[in-house]
Amino acid sequence: MLKKIVIPIASIVFFSACNQPKSADTTKADMLQSNIDTTINPADDFFEFANGHWIKNNPIPASETSWGIAHLVGEELYQRKLKINQDATTAAPKNGTQQQLSDFWTTAMDSTKIEKDGIAPLQEELAKINAAKTPADIMNAAAHLHAIGVGVFFGEGVGQDAKNSEVMSYQLAQGGLGMPNRDYYFNTDERTVKVRNEYPNFISKILRLSGVDSSSATNKAVAVLALETKMAKASRKLEALRDPYANYNKMGMAQLKTTAPGIDWNMVFTGIGLPKIDTVIVGQPEFYKELGQLIAHEPIQNLKDYMTFHLVNDYAPYMSQSFVQAKFDFYNKTIRGAKEMRARWKRVLDAEEAAIGEVLGQLFVKEYFNEKAKARYSDMTEAVRKAYKGRIEKLTWMSDSTKQKALAKLAAISKKVGYPDKWKDFSSLKIDRSSYVSNMMHANNWWNNYSINKLGKPVDRTEWDMTPQTYNAYYNPSNNEIVLPAGQFTVPGFRDEELDDALVYGYAAASTIGHEITHGFDDEGRQFDAKGNLKNWWSKEDENQFTKRSAVLVKQFNNIVAVDTIHINGKSSLGENLADLGGILIGLDAFKQTDAYKKGQKIAGYTPLQRFFLGYSLGWLYQIRPEQLASQILTDVHAPAKFRVNGPFPNVPEFYEAFNVKPNNKMYLADSLRVRLW
Ligand SMILES: [Zn+2]
């Protein structure tokens, strides 16, 4: 829950095969040079300078809400995964994994059968909701929906206890909303209002497709929105969710009953499939107080309509075209600005990834990832760790005692590279050819039980929360670990050995490795100790210095207008912005130790230092639709791509040197206004 995932557009990690800085293939254009817009002064707008030419020549496809380097990698991953599925389908005889992939793929691609089935695969579940007559029935039905992956009314799950990372705990959080987050219910800017006005029409459409008559569907939709608005009002804002202490409220069952009266929690937990539990960690108690009120006092029919809508909405992507289209029109078109749907086979691969991604991953790494890449990545991580150590030792604002603890935490960060040593066992998951919906339902239920099964057992620190083919990475504070899946090694169009060190250090060492390590010391991660426990190891004065110095970055980002008149939220994006800035600084320190930097040879007209900054910016080669931008500001703790370049760079002294940035340039920041933290 607390980990910082680089979404939705992570940087790629890849390695040069050796320390030779020169491109091996002289017939290929230089990757960095060919993206540059030479009409832009890098000292005025570095992002547009570094990426502008590519952006002009690569418009966003109609099916996408943004387009950039992650998508180019994604296209390659799609082809690889397609082949794995096709091979499994034609294999004879099939082993267990091939049977699962083959049945999943064949059923999901059979659009004729899916059209013919219509609402039928959900009929049994709809009947369960319809049978509810009392608030207790409602919560019973809600518990069952949670067990099949439909998060009605609230959020829940099993995770490490933030204050005792050796223990798995059951946790409750705010949730249950149909729009992306609570701000969509209240913000008054034009884009949000448009989405909010469209939402009841969408709810009504889903209800009608589910069999509700048109005359009552409209009123029911209005009631569902009203219900969700009450839940949204009791929900915390994005930035308030960043305080790990305020979102940690451990309580016994008696206290939970007082916190959210009107709900029989023992019954709910049994329905979800939990063993008997004594304590629960509640993220936002005030949300649960409001929920208790709603369940006790709302008309039962409203609660049933709300559950019907959420069930069908969650399973719509696996149903007939009218359901798929309705869902696409609201979430992808209205909210995020896409023009048309992705091809069916790609949508199926996305669903398969969520359901049984690790099954796919075992085959993926066998074919596409080797030990050599794993070793290179590990070495680069150590170089970055060493650079950070050097920085911490030299800090003038941090006391010696806090420094010792910071260094111990840094040394203790564990790294996971490529793919897990131990795979999850999916053999008990039933995948057959009855329906796409039932396969997804079985998978959701499998995941529910898999996670519940961790309660009362020792924490498995070897576990991965991402599949190896994922194009992403994360830092997990409870394990004090960084996790980098093999998918990050995929580079479209280039082999590792064709990439010079300057590019790679900007691209991988700074924007991914350094970024993830710095998360261990950002505004949230720094509150966890070397063992992964939420426990203060900072002196008061050091803490004050950290807050004062990082407040400079909050202010810088608050001043940035991302789209229309919408500013970036400096507080909710602080952790990511600190990780970006820290990543650049330590990635650069590590780069300075390489021969490529020391020799200073230009490649394609640019010095090693210049190519480091260009390489970093390549990781943020994106363009984004305005609808998607507006949505990202409300829901994502990451700043939009452009500002992950133009935001941190003015705080980096070497940037001024590399591109001759002077006081009259737009990227210039007076010395007194720069962030001085790491
Ligand atoms: Zn991050």
Side-chain angles (χ1 to χ4, degrees), residues 388 513-522 578-580 582-583 586 678:
Y388 207 177
I513 306 170
H515 174 99
E516 298 303 341
I517 288 181
T518 307
H519 271 316
F521 303 90
D522 73 16
L578 285 171
D580 282 340
I586 58 182
W678 298 115

Side-chain angles (χ1 to χ4, degrees), residues 9 36 43 83 202 231 258 295 310 412 435 536 553 616 646:
I9 36 180
I36 289 174
K83 185 172 180 306
F202 166 61
M231 290 160 64
T258 344
I295 298 299
H310 278 270
S435 75
N536 194 5
L553 198 58
Y616 174 89
N646 287 2

Side-chain angles (χ1 to χ4, degrees), residues 4-7 473 515-516 519 522 575-576 579-580 638 644:
K4 320 302 187 309
I5 298 177
V6 185
I7 46 169
H515 174 99
E516 298 303 341
H519 271 316
D522 73 16
E576 295 303 329
D580 282 340
H638 301 84
R644 298 187 71 170

